[in-house]
Amino acid sequence: MKNKKITRSLIIIFSVVALAATALVQFASPPNFSREKKIAYADFYKAVEEKAVLTATIKTNGIEFTKVGSDDIFWTENPDSPSLKEHLLLNGVTVKVEKSAEELISIVLDSLFYIIFFGTIILVFRKFISPNTFKVVHKTGVSFQEVIGMEQLKTYMQKVIEIMKNPKPYAQKGIRMPKGIILEGAPGNGKTLFARALAGEAKVNFIPAKATDFESMFMAIGPLKVKLLFRKARRKAPCIVFIDEFDGIGTKRNYSGSAIETENTRIVTALLNELDGFEQNSGILVIAATNSIKALDEALIRPGRFDAHVTVPYPDLEARKKLCSLYLRGKSYDQSVTEEQLAKRFDGASCAKIESALNEAVIKAAQQGRDSFSINDVEF
């Protein structure tokens, strides 16, 4: 909304300035000098040297002047001499120079250019580094009960939650909360859901981000966004910062000199600086999700920054049974479909794949005019 208001204001300013410039062109006319009071330039020049000229107004196509001891206004031609004003001043003449319509239009157009130029820069920077780039979620509405499987990970993270919420007793024992945790696993295995559930269980603020949030057509915007993210996290502590698709911004630094590699290096360096800037038990936990930890920069994943590397596995048999029960809700299926059979069929499938396969089975049955699907409709 703010960007729209700024854009609307710029359009209004542009329209007003354009109308003013048009009016100047249409209505600006040369001075209307009286022929009865015209004096030859030679006589004017002589009068100046004789100190007989009191005031002079230099206009585009003439010089309007008054004489000592006279109330009349006279005029003469303007020779466009660069030394004319100096000559008049040296002879005690009060000089005034009126700008021409062309000069006024030039000033207006120059002003318009700077308004548009700087206005565009402000809009671009507000769009790419707006304080609202990273939203703070106060209540995720997700708990560990909605995360099927990952029991060992849940147990480990419960202890991390305790340290986050009560850091002092653990600090007295020499225990600090991990600065960062990397969740590695195949796409669709619930890494994002787990991070949201963790924030819900801990009842702390949750700031989600993804690799594409740091991408920009302008250099150095990515590192600025990194600083913006962690500055907000410090203000909202205790909180969990979740960075999805982490391998998109945390890849190994390559000093090839290309613009893309240079920007990636700057983002990684900014991440290192922010992680090193954390104080122990600061109440900020960074969770990064990646499909391949091998692609990440070694400096990022060393102990002291991302202390824990946790693999999010494919769901086991029991987890697959629970997932099938969950995804079968609201679907019509015949007696050939059982959770046991589906769980065995989906061996090695991710959570997202199971949901998608069951949805495709329902669609296939509907296309064939059947109200419910069978086990043969389920393809994996």
Side-chain angles (χ1 to χ4, degrees), residues 107-175:
I107 293 172
V108 168
L109 293 178
D110 287 345
S111 301
L112 181 61
F113 168 78
Y114 287 115
I115 290 171
I116 294 174
F117 178 75
F118 288 109
T120 302
I121 291 177
I122 292 171
L123 284 175
V124 168
F125 273 87
R126 283 180 63 86
K127 178 179 180 180
F128 287 104
I129 55 174
S130 168
N132 297 321
T133 300
F134 302 103
K135 300 290 185 181
V136 179
V137 181
H138 300 290
K139 293 182 180 180
T140 63
V142 184
S143 66
F144 279 161
Q145 292 182 349
E146 297 171 57
V147 179
I148 297 174
M150 307 185 199
E151 299 305 324
Q152 291 183 346
L153 184 56
K154 289 178 185 177
T155 303
Y156 172 73
M157 294 309 298
Q158 286 284 8
K159 179 59 67 177
V160 174
I161 290 172
E162 290 181 22
I163 300 173
M164 177 186 290
K165 298 177 76 172
N166 302 289
K168 290 184 178 179
Y170 289 94
Q172 293 173 354
K173 299 177 182 178
I175 301 173

Side-chain angles (χ1 to χ4, degrees), residues 56-60 62-64 78 84-85 88 95-99:
T57 302
I58 302 174
K59 301 186 177 182
T60 305
I63 302 172
E64 200 174 65
N78 184 353
L84 174 61
K85 182 177 179 180
L88 294 173
V95 181
K96 179 182 177 183
V97 180
E98 287 191 359
K99 294 185 181 295

Side-chain angles (χ1 to χ4, degrees), residues 22-33 59-62 98-102 104-105:
T22 303
L24 283 172
V25 173
Q26 293 294 326
F27 300 106
S29 58
N32 184 19
F33 297 114
K59 301 186 177 182
T60 305
N61 60 342
E98 287 191 359
K99 294 185 181 295
S100 65
E102 290 78 9
L104 291 174
I105 292 171

